[in-house]
Amino acid sequence: MAKVTKKPVRQKDRAQTEALLLNAAEKIFSQVGYECATTRMIAQEAGINISLINRYFEGKYGLLFAVVLTKTKESRNTPDYPVRATFLDEITAYGEFIIARYFDDLNLFRICVGQFLVDTTFLKKFKEVVSNPDIDPEAKSRLEGLVKKEKLKLASPISKIVEDMEVQIFSLCILNGVIHGQTQKEILKSFREFIRNYVQGAIH
């Protein structure tokens, strides 16, 4: 009998399959929550064989983490708005851009926060992967240009200012948005007050 060999999975095919599964998982998790979601539901939504979830993501848990990681990276995409006139206006717009991304995926964000609270391993893994992310090169270039234009002297590097801003945004979205149910408009108001005071303190 002739030996049957498995055909290798082409990278392009795998990338397309992973993208379909990630999109389907995001939809199912957002609709029914992590606990109620099943790999069968996700596979059916994606139109993909269920076995590939285990093969590519090691099950539902790994798939959730992959979705969270993908959305986190997307939240730091290059800004899609015009450059603002001042450093304060630009960094405010950048923060508003990030907040909008959170609210675009609010149901998924709630699921992630819940998972962080009950699963320390998940939270630790998340921190290891996304800690101290680099600021988007385009956003950094814009901010550096405005610092030079306005001849500002900053007490901290731009990367540190953006990192502190993102921590504040995350806190606002969890405490005020998820727990207290504040609207995006209310979150934005609190953020603008914070960043105005922060930037004033960061300029010598």
Side-chain angles (χ1 to χ4, degrees):
M1 181 180 290
K3 185 178 179 180
V4 177
T5 58
K6 283 187 175 181
K7 291 183 179 180
V9 178
R10 290 184 299 175
Q11 286 301 111
K12 185 176 181 181
D13 291 342
R14 173 163 180 167
Q16 291 173 340
T17 299
E18 288 182 349
L20 288 170
L21 287 170
L22 286 170
N23 289 335
E26 180 186 347
K27 181 177 180 179
I28 298 299
F29 287 145
S30 298
Q31 288 179 343
V32 304
Y34 176 71
E35 293 300 327
C36 293
T38 67
T39 52
R40 185 171 299 281
M41 292 166 63
I42 294 168
Q44 288 178 345
E45 176 66 31
I48 300 294
N49 191 301
I50 191 172
S51 66
L52 293 179
I53 294 178
N54 287 325
R55 182 175 178 182
Y56 294 158
F57 299 100
E58 299 182 354
K60 185 174 77 166
Y61 189 85
L63 190 51
L64 175 63
F65 185 78
V67 171
V68 174
L69 184 58
T70 299
K71 300 307 291 186
T72 301
K73 289 179 179 178
E74 287 178 358
S75 72
R76 296 186 175 89
N77 283 350
T78 301
D80 57 0
Y81 51 83
V83 180
R84 301 303 194 243
T86 68
F87 179 83
L88 175 58
D89 288 344
E90 180 64 30
I91 199 166
T92 299
Y94 188 46
E96 291 171 347
F97 172 77
I98 294 172
I99 290 171
R101 289 302 182 98
Y102 277 120
F103 274 84
D104 284 344
D105 302 299
L106 192 57
N107 287 336
L108 182 63
F109 183 56
R110 288 193 179 103
I111 293 167
C112 295
V113 171
Q115 197 67 25
F116 292 154
L117 294 175
V118 301
D119 188 343
T120 55
T121 302
F122 189 88
L123 178 58
K124 181 181 179 181
K125 185 178 178 183
F126 177 81
K127 286 181 177 179
E128 288 174 351
V129 174
V130 303
S131 60
N132 300 320
D134 292 331
I135 179 174
D136 176 82
E138 171 65 18
K140 185 176 182 180
S141 176
R142 291 182 180 198
L143 291 168
E144 287 175 341
L146 289 167
V147 167
K148 186 176 181 180
K149 176 183 176 182
E150 298 177 73
K151 299 180 180 179
L152 302 177
K153 293 184 178 180
L154 302 178
S156 302
I158 288 175
S159 58
K160 179 64 168 61
I161 293 174
V162 172
E163 181 182 341
D164 290 346
M165 179 188 75
E166 290 192 346
V167 169
Q168 180 67 15
I169 288 172
F170 192 72
S171 299
L172 283 172
C173 289
I174 291 178
L175 182 62
N176 296 5
V178 174
I179 297 178
H180 295 303
Q182 285 191 353
T183 64
Q184 184 173 350
K185 184 177 180 180
E186 291 170 321
I187 298 292
L188 286 170
K189 181 179 179 181
S190 297
F191 164 71
R192 288 168 186 146
E193 182 177 351
F194 159 79
I195 199 64
R196 182 175 63 251
N197 292 332
Y198 183 100
V199 169
Q200 287 174 351
I203 297 175
H204 285 168

